[in-house]
Structure formats: C-alpha cells, structure tokens
Amino acid sequence: MGPSPAVAVINGPNLGELGTREPEIYGGVTQEELVEMVRARAQQHGLDLEFFQSDIEGELVRAVNSASGRTVGLVINPAAYSHYSIAIMDAMQAYQGPVVEVHISRVLAREPFRSNLVTAAAADAFISGAGTEGYLHALDILQELRKRKDGGMVSAHQQ
Ligand code: DQA
C-alpha cells in the first residue's frame, strides 16, 4: 500500500494566534490543538494532513498552487484576505479538486466589510460560524464532494 492521499488545510493571517486572539470570537483552541483535531478527523477519512499557515498573501497563493495536483482536497480559511484577495481567489479557482472555505466566526453577522466575500466565489462549499469545529465539518464535506465526483465509488480502500 502506498502513502495515504493528503488533504491541504491552509490558514491565513492572524490565525496563528488562535487561542489568545479574541477568544470570545474565535474560541480558545490554539493552532496546535486545531492541527491535532484536524489531523485526527483527516485520518478517520484515510487522509494525511498538510497544514500551512501564513500571514503573507503571496505565501498563501504559493501554498495553494503547490497543493494543487498533489493533494485531494483543500480546506482554506483565508482570514482577512477572504474579503479582498483576488490572487488567493484565482489560486483557489485553479486548484485541482474540491475546495471548502471555512470561517470560524459568523462573518455575515459582523462588520459589513466582512460580508464582502471575494475568495468564497472559488469555493465549492462555505462554512461560517461553526467555530473551530467548522474545519472538521469541512473535511467531512470534502470527502462527500470527492465521492460525488467519483460517482459515489469511493470505498474505504480507495480513499
Ligand atoms: C475569519 C473572519 C475574517 O473576517 C477575519 O479577518 C479573520 C478570521 C474567521 O475565521 O472567522 O481573520 O476568517
């Protein structure tokens, strides 16, 4: 048996500060804890995890491009860039495979500028307001999207 296929999980600016950053909005889970939660859920789906976080737009663009073709799905929280980065949207659009955009908070219930969702146009699915658990739901949705694409033929040993 070869290595398991991998899913890419990419977080944008200020998400490295999870746990201490405005916990009333983003919760108390640290980035390290988040990665462990996400890795465990990915493993339940038979997937390895490639996690990347950056505060820099170009690094996020490169990470998405480099994940394309090598990973079977992308979960991305572009954070503040979600509201204005056409470069990240373009990279998500070009990603070969299903893309789920995650927001920890309820972006549509916050300041009006957060309702401008530029990158989400390139996502197959969008989760907002489920807290850090949203990343786990995103993995479940990715798996579902992969099954649909393969005509429902994904079985345990094919995952
Ligand atoms: C966020 C929402 C964005 O508006 C904000 O800039 C973030 C995090 C979220 O996960 O809720 O940094 O993407």
Side-chain angles (χ1 to χ4, degrees):
M1 237 175 66
S4 301
V7 60
V9 177
I10 297 178
N11 266 349
N14 300 306
L15 292 171
E17 311 306 315
L18 279 178
T20 49
R21 174 193 182 196
E22 300 182 276
E24 64 288 358
I25 296 175
Y26 299 110
V29 170
T30 64
Q31 173 173 266
E32 213 184 350
E33 289 164 345
L34 176 69
V35 171
E36 282 327 302
M37 278 162 56
V38 171
R39 194 184 306 284
R41 180 63 64 98
Q43 276 168 3
Q44 285 172 16
H45 290 304
L47 299 170
D48 279 345
L49 172 67
E50 280 191 21
F51 176 80
F52 180 76
Q53 189 275 328
S54 175
D55 297 330
I56 300 168
E57 184 178 22
E59 287 187 0
L60 294 164
V61 170
R62 283 199 185 153
V64 172
N65 287 333
S66 117
S68 184
R70 281 191 312 102
T71 53
V72 296
L74 171 67
V75 173
I76 184 164
N77 182 347
Y81 288 130
S82 313
H83 311 301
Y84 64 95
S85 176
I86 292 168
I88 294 174
M89 182 198 70
D90 281 347
M92 288 164 61
Q93 193 83 55
Y95 178 85
Q96 294 166 40
V99 177
V100 181
E101 179 166 314
V102 174
H103 294 281
I104 297 166
S105 67
R106 292 170 62 206
V107 281
L108 296 169
R110 298 178 63 192
E111 301 94 324
F113 64 83
R114 293 188 206 275
S115 293
N116 188 35
L117 294 160
V118 169
T119 56
D124 297 291
F126 177 85
I127 297 172
S128 174
T132 42
E133 290 279 315
Y135 290 85
L136 307 184
H137 301 310
L139 287 178
D140 297 345
I141 291 169
L142 266 191
Q143 198 64 351
E144 185 57 37
L145 292 171
R146 288 180 68 213
K147 280 185 202 167
R148 282 187 210 169
K149 191 169 168 274
D150 295 348
M153 294 298 284
V154 173
S155 64
H157 64 275
Q158 282 177 311
Q159 282 174 1

